[in-house]
């Protein structure tokens, strides 16, 4: 329960029995332990460091000490840089992409890839084989290196947070911030018109400790450049320089998201696409940007099925995200029992439609966001208009991660945004678009005849 509070703050309330257990345990603590407990809760729930620390809840004669000036200044600077990162991700992604060869960019977007990571064209998802690796090597870069110290703020005088995720949790935690098992990509092979992806197991924070840290480092360097710093941009990026090959699986834990562009195919062969705006107050990554929908980390739906075939499936991951983002269902946060897909009506209906060719899903390959080096599997999901209406009807406007785009440029887009070259280019080049979503749009338009043909 305390762990849940640390990650989700006051957004959850324990059931009565748990409240009674916690109250009993708290009463059994010493005065010093109770004081430490209340101090911890104040740190977790405070939106910003208090100028004068509250003395509420302390035993008589005890005084709670506030943050020292150097710690408070360090955390304030970190928060300012983090806010800059979240409010300028589009600009920063474009700037970061300029550090790499233009040939590595996917269709001119800030999404990078290599020849080995991309097939010649879209690959039907049933032609992508997943292989399990029981053992995975320790990554060479974990975000705890001395090179990362510049973006780890002080947590006490002379002592820094040793992981970026700890700083997020205690200084600026979003609503959704949980460390869950994630599938770690080990190798990729797109030979023979299909694909084989090999995965092991890692954690979501393994990704953030490197990828969000690299993004923060770039944002801080970019701010310094704007302020007139004479240090070269590349010279101000020691952690990024450690990842000299973005496509080396051994350098960091590559735990990809699956970003899927949903296309509603109309009977005349035209289509609309759906987008999602990611709320920076709710999510730890890509906040303030449009993104393709559905999108989510490739993770098991339950910690109990982390190493079983139950959730080790790209299509099942996409369906879970559809349920959350279009229907507004609660997240499969890993805490429940393994999902029985055969008992789930949405899953059964989509499987029937997929078998009839009225639902089709394709993988485009694998890429990384130039700003954060976070990997994603861009893909496309084509659903016939009639099937979409039957299964989803009026889509949920709000969900746990943000807002579905139901209004755009004064138009009602609950049925989707028209899939035209003008609209595709508008979002890729002129809107704050997450790089994986931009790559999905660009690749879907490039291969539209294959995707929308029958």
């Amino acid at each position: 329960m305390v762990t849940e509070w640390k990650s989700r703050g006051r957004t959850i309330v324990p059931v009565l029995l748990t409240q009674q257990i916690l109250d009993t345990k708290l009463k059994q603590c010493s005065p010093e332990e109770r004081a430490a407990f209340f101090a911890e809760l104040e740190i977790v729930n405070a939106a910003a460091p208090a100028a004068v620390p509250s003395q509420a809840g302390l035993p008589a004669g005890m005084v709670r000490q506030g943050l020292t000036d150097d710690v408070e200044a360090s955390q304030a600077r970190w928060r300012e840089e983090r806010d800059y990162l979240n409010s300028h991700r589009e600009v920063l992604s474009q700037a970061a992409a300029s550090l790499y060869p233009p040939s590595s960019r996917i269709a001119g977007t800030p999404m990078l890839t290599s020849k080995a990571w991309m097939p010649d064209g879209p690959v039907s998802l049933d032609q992508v084989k997943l292989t399990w690796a029981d053992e995975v090597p320790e990554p060479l870069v974990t975000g705890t290196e001395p090179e990362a110290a510049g973006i780890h703020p002080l947590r006490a005088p002379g002592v820094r947070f040793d992981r970026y995720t700890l700083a997020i949790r205690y200084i600026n935690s979003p609503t959704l911030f949980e460390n869950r098992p994630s599938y770690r990509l080990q190798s990729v092979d797109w030979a023979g018109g299909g694909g084989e992806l090999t995965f092991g197991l890692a954690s979501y924070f393994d990704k953030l400790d490197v990828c969000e840290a690299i993004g923060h480092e770039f944002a801080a360097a970019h701010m310094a450049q704007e302020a007139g710093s004479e240090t070269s941009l590349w010279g101000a990026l020691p952690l990024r320089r450690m990842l000299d090959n973005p496509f080396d699986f051994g350098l960091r834990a590559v735990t990809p998201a699956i970003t899927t562009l949903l296309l509603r195919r109309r009977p005349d062969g035209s289509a609309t696409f759906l987008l999602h705006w990611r709320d920076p107050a709710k999510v730890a990554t890509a906040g303030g940007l449009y993104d393709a929908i559905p999108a989510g980390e490739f993770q098991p739906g339950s910690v109990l099925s982390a190493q079983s075939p139950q959730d080790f499936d790209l299509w099942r991951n996409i369906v879970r995200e559809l349920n959350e983002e279009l229907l507004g269902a609660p997240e499969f946060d890993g805490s429940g029992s393994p999902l029985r897909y055969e008992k789930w009506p949405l899953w059964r209906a989509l499987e029937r439609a997929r078998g009839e060719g009225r639902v089709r899903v394709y993988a485009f390959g694998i890429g990384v966001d130039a700003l954060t080096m976070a990997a994603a599997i861009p893909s496309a999901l084509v659903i016939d208009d009639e099937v979409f209406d039957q299964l989803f009807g009026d889509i949920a406007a709000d969900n746990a991660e943000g807002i579905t785009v139901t209004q755009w440029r004064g138009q009602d887009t609950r049925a989707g945004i028209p899939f035209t070259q003008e609209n595709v280019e508008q979002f890729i080049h002129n809107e704050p678009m997450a790089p994986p979503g931009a790559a999905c749009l660009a690749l879907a338009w490039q291969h539209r005849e294959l995707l929308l043909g029958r």
Side-chain angles (χ1 to χ4, degrees), residues 1-7 9-10 26 32-47 54 56-58 64-65 67 155 161 166 169-171:
M1 194 71 249
V2 172
T3 300
E4 286 290 305
W5 272 327
K6 285 185 176 181
S7 64
R10 295 174 179 173
L26 190 59
E32 292 77 16
E33 289 170 335
R34 285 198 294 272
F37 176 79
F38 286 117
E40 181 79 352
L41 285 183
E42 182 172 305
I43 292 172
V44 171
N45 289 318
S54 170
L58 286 181
R64 182 179 292 120
Q65 299 296 320
L67 297 177
R155 61 178 176 84
F161 288 100
L166 286 174
R169 168 168 285 171
Y170 284 98
I171 300 176

Side-chain angles (χ1 to χ4, degrees), residues 2-311:
V2 172
T3 300
E4 286 290 305
W5 272 327
K6 285 185 176 181
S7 64
R8 296 167 60 185
R10 295 174 179 173
T11 63
I12 56 171
V13 178
V15 298
L16 180 59
L17 178 60
T18 304
Q19 293 180 36
Q20 293 170 341
I21 293 171
L22 289 168
D23 287 342
T24 300
K25 286 295 183 183
L26 190 59
K27 290 176 182 177
Q28 294 171 351
C29 290
S30 68
E32 292 77 16
E33 289 170 335
R34 285 198 294 272
F37 176 79
F38 286 117
E40 181 79 352
L41 285 183
E42 182 172 305
I43 292 172
V44 171
N45 289 318
V52 179
S54 170
Q55 307 304 320
L58 286 181
M62 293 192 68
V63 177
R64 182 179 292 120
Q65 299 296 320
L67 297 177
T68 60
D69 290 345
D70 58 339
V71 174
E72 187 170 348
S74 174
Q75 294 186 8
R77 182 172 61 254
W78 183 92
R79 189 181 292 106
E80 180 184 4
E81 293 165 352
R82 176 80 181 164
D83 289 345
Y84 184 87
L85 168 64
N86 281 328
S87 60
H88 294 79
R89 283 185 184 262
E90 180 197 17
V91 173
L92 294 172
S93 291
Q94 292 287 353
S98 68
L99 298 174
Y100 302 93
S103 59
S104 66
R105 300 175 69 164
I106 297 178
T109 70
M111 201 70 173
L112 310 178
T113 193
S114 70
K115 185 175 181 180
W117 281 27
M118 293 291 286
D120 294 332
V123 176
S124 177
L125 211 61
D126 56 15
Q127 298 299 311
V128 180
K129 175 185 177 183
L130 302 189
T131 302
W132 183 258
D134 287 319
E135 296 184 5
V136 295
E138 183 72 19
L140 297 179
V141 180
T142 63
T144 60
E145 294 76 17
E147 287 82 355
I151 40 125
H152 290 171
L154 293 173
R155 61 178 176 84
V159 182
R160 295 185 178 275
F161 288 100
D162 57 3
R163 288 185 177 274
Y164 191 78
T165 50
L166 286 174
I168 294 179
R169 168 168 285 171
Y170 284 98
I171 300 176
N172 193 23
S173 183
T175 302
L176 295 178
F177 194 66
E178 299 170 347
N179 194 15
R180 293 171 47 192
S182 293
Y183 296 119
R184 178 183 169 190
L185 189 60
Q186 295 292 289
S187 67
V188 55
D189 183 2
W190 294 109
E196 182 173 1
L197 309 179
T198 301
F199 290 88
L201 201 61
S203 77
Y204 180 51
F205 282 8
D206 289 339
K207 175 179 186 173
L208 297 192
D209 279 330
V210 175
C211 295
E212 280 299 289
I214 285 176
H216 188 126
E217 178 187 62
F218 190 88
H222 199 268
M223 289 176 68
Q225 292 274 307
E226 290 183 333
S229 172
E230 296 182 358
T231 303
S232 70
L233 185 61
W234 191 249
L237 306 173
L239 185 59
R240 179 178 293 266
R241 292 200 303 272
M242 296 188 74
L243 301 181
D244 53 345
N245 180 358
F247 313 110
D248 185 340
F249 292 111
L251 281 180
R252 70 191 188 285
V254 179
T255 59
I258 306 173
T259 302
T260 307
L261 180 70
L262 195 159
L263 295 170
R264 293 186 59 169
R265 185 188 183 278
R266 301 197 180 282
D268 63 2
S270 65
T272 62
F273 62 94
L274 273 68
L275 291 181
H276 184 229
W277 182 78
R278 295 175 59 81
D279 188 340
K282 295 181 176 181
V283 296
T285 63
L289 301 179
Y290 292 112
D291 202 0
I293 188 171
E297 298 297 318
F298 186 27
Q299 298 174 325
S302 169
V303 294
L304 301 178
S305 59
Q307 299 189 49
S308 75
Q310 174 72 19
D311 290 329

Side-chain angles (χ1 to χ4, degrees), residues 410-434:
Q411 305 175 45
D412 184 340
T413 57
R414 285 175 293 182
I417 301 164
F419 187 51
T420 64
Q421 183 174 1
E422 178 185 0
N423 288 341
V424 167
E425 291 184 352
Q426 173 67 24
F427 276 99
I428 291 176
H429 301 299
N430 301 315
E431 302 287 349
M433 191 80 186

